[in-house]
Every structure is written in C-alpha cells, then in structure tokens.
Amino acid sequence: MRWITQYLPGEVARELFAARDAGAGEQQQTVLLARALGHAYFRDGGRRSHGLHIAFSDLEFADFSIG
C-alpha cells in the first residue's frame, strides 16, 4: 500500500468535475486521477520517468481538499 500526499493543479479538479458532469463513471474518473498523479508524483511534472504508465488498482481511500 502506498500513501500519497500530492498537490494537483486546479485544472485536474476541473477535468474531474467535467467528466462527472458528463456522466463519466468511477472507473473513468479514476483513470483521469491516475494520469494526473502519474504526471505530478511519479514523473515529477515531466522531469523523470517519461515512459512510465500509471494505473490504480484496489484504490481504498482518497481525500481531497481545496487550499
């Protein structure tokens, strides 16, 4: 299990809300979140691990705050 605390830009929230409002299911929203976290956390904003593909499996908990 990996605990990740990561800042994501507001555009990610907009993309997630737009997907939800367009009827995207949890699976599709999880893919969007995995892509955003992959870029910000694992690829360090595009500075490393360029070919890395990120997928969530068995996501147990997510907590979001706006600050």
Side-chain angles (χ1 to χ4, degrees), residues 11-64:
E11 65 192 47
V12 175
R14 284 189 292 277
E15 187 177 8
L16 286 168
F17 283 123
R20 181 203 61 191
D21 293 346
E26 185 176 328
Q27 177 78 19
Q28 292 167 304
Q29 293 176 59
T30 300
V31 168
L32 294 173
L33 185 56
R35 186 180 312 139
L37 276 175
H39 181 72
Y41 182 79
F42 294 101
R43 287 189 220 103
D44 194 21
R47 291 185 285 269
R48 62 185 167 105
S49 303
H50 299 286
L52 186 65
H53 174 74
I54 307 300
F56 282 150
S57 61
D58 299 324
L59 179 64
E60 290 185 25
F61 175 79
D63 183 34
F64 300 93

